[in-house]
Amino acid sequence: MSGVCEVDGTSLRTIRVYKQTTRFAKQVAEWRARYPRRAEPRYWLLHVRLLGAVQRSDSRKLCIFPAEYKLTQPKAVPPTESTQEIVNSKLLTKVKRNATLMADGNGAWSAAARSYPAKCFVVKHVKHSKAEFVKKAVGQKSFGTQTLDRCWDVLKRAVPKEVGSRSKDAASDTFRILTYVYAATWRRQLADANLLEELGSLCRRA
């Protein structure tokens, strides 16, 4: 990806995690350590999140990475992406040097971009928290994260409604959600390709 690229994180779906769920025992322990005096809820919400970047001039050039698992109490504010998890995902290594990164006001993207000084990224923000979705600068086109927001909408619609927060098999549902998303991304990337030819090519290389 190069030129103007939009970057952001999103929550695809939430899944209930109960105290007896062994798959996410680490996340439960981290929550307890963070809030030792807070009463434990009957269940936590696991936010299945993605970090993504898309080239504005060609939305097929989309790169996504699963974000770290984080738990919140029901009705709590969803977690936002941190500098460390952006860096750990290596998402920005997929963006070419001198690119302009459009973010939604989360300063973690600016901090993560500074972790790659040789890339010479320029980071610009619109502040969704202040209902600012498009910004215009003198002598420049308007900017925001509308292209990536549309990509998120497509991927979220790919996940069936029945894969929801009330499931008691959080580990299985997490895997299913990401499987649907990756399949939708693959179909989207091949929208203009001959699918049978691509499958044949994959079989020959196997």
Side-chain angles (χ1 to χ4, degrees):
M1 293 175 287
S2 61
V4 178
C5 297
E6 300 176 13
V7 293
D8 196 9
T10 194
S11 179
L12 296 168
R13 196 67 58 90
T14 57
I15 299 174
R16 291 186 180 187
V17 171
Y18 295 87
K19 296 178 183 180
Q20 64 270 26
T21 305
T22 57
R23 171 64 178 81
F24 299 104
K26 175 184 175 183
Q27 284 73 26
V28 171
E30 289 174 348
W31 187 94
R32 287 170 172 163
R34 192 179 303 115
Y35 306 107
R37 298 185 179 181
R38 186 175 295 183
E40 291 188 6
R42 187 167 63 89
Y43 61 86
W44 292 269
L45 290 181
L46 172 72
H47 292 260
V48 183
R49 301 176 301 135
L50 290 179
L51 303 177
V54 65
Q55 183 173 306
R56 176 174 287 183
S57 62
D58 185 355
S59 63
R60 291 172 301 176
K61 294 183 178 179
L62 170 68
C63 188
I64 59 174
F65 284 90
E68 297 171 6
Y69 293 133
K70 293 184 179 180
L71 300 181
T72 64
Q73 288 181 290
K75 298 183 180 180
V77 176
T80 58
E81 58 273 23
S82 68
T83 300
Q84 194 57 55
E85 64 181 327
I86 295 170
V87 173
N88 289 347
S89 73
K90 301 187 185 302
L91 175 67
L92 296 183
T93 64
K94 306 300 181 182
V95 182
K96 291 185 179 179
R97 192 172 184 269
N98 294 322
T100 297
L101 306 180
M102 303 298 190
D104 66 352
N106 184 345
W109 289 102
S110 295
R114 290 193 293 271
S115 300
Y116 301 92
K119 291 274 192 176
C120 301
F121 291 136
V122 174
V123 185
K124 297 182 179 180
H125 288 272
V126 291
K127 297 182 179 179
H128 289 183
S129 61
K130 296 184 178 180
E132 180 184 56
F133 299 94
V134 178
K135 182 184 290 185
K136 292 185 178 180
V138 177
Q140 296 180 347
K141 296 180 179 179
S142 61
F143 56 88
T145 58
Q146 300 92 335
T147 303
L148 188 52
D149 290 340
R150 287 192 290 270
C151 293
W152 291 148
D153 287 341
V154 171
L155 297 183
K156 289 177 182 180
R157 288 198 301 269
V159 182
K161 292 182 179 180
E162 59 267 22
V163 185
S165 68
R166 294 182 180 274
S167 169
K168 292 189 177 182
D169 190 357
S172 176
D173 269 2
T174 302
F175 177 79
R176 289 175 63 197
I177 289 170
L178 293 177
T179 298
Y180 284 120
V181 166
Y182 291 145
T185 303
W186 184 72
R187 290 194 300 270
R188 190 172 178 277
Q189 305 295 69
L190 295 178
D192 298 324
N194 186 313
L195 188 57
L196 291 178
E197 287 185 6
E198 293 290 337
L199 289 174
S201 178
L202 288 173
C203 291
R204 288 191 292 275
R205 291 199 298 267

